[in-house]
Amino acid sequence: LPAAVLLKDTKLMDVKLGQLGSWLAMRDFTPSGILGGMRRGYNKYYNKYINVRKGGLGGISMLLAGYIVLSYMWSYSHV
């Protein structure tokens, strides 16, 4: 039998639809919690696409594409 995983430690993709409300209630929405989440996301992105032995253009091109989309949204506020 697999060990029971606490709902707090469950990833978003593994949460059932009925558990979504209680899972969201357990999240840390303080400024330090949000900053920590952003830091974890950046570290995950950096280690997966930038900090690799044999690098490619995948990570940098995704970053550039994100910047282009963001600048387009800022330029055309009616979109």
Side-chain angles (χ1 to χ4, degrees), residues 13-70:
M13 294 300 293
D14 297 331
V15 174
K16 305 265 189 290
L17 191 57
Q19 299 172 332
L20 187 60
S22 58
W23 183 84
L24 281 172
M26 292 182 194
R27 300 293 101 195
D28 184 13
F29 289 109
T30 62
S32 63
I34 293 171
L35 185 63
M38 291 174 67
R39 187 177 297 131
R40 283 190 305 275
Y42 172 77
N43 286 337
K44 188 180 285 190
Y45 169 81
Y46 182 81
N47 287 325
K48 186 172 183 179
Y49 293 108
I50 305 297
N51 190 20
V52 293
R53 286 187 182 166
K54 185 178 178 184
L57 294 177
I60 295 174
S61 62
M62 283 177 28
L63 194 65
L64 183 62
Y67 172 73
I68 290 170
V69 168
L70 192 63

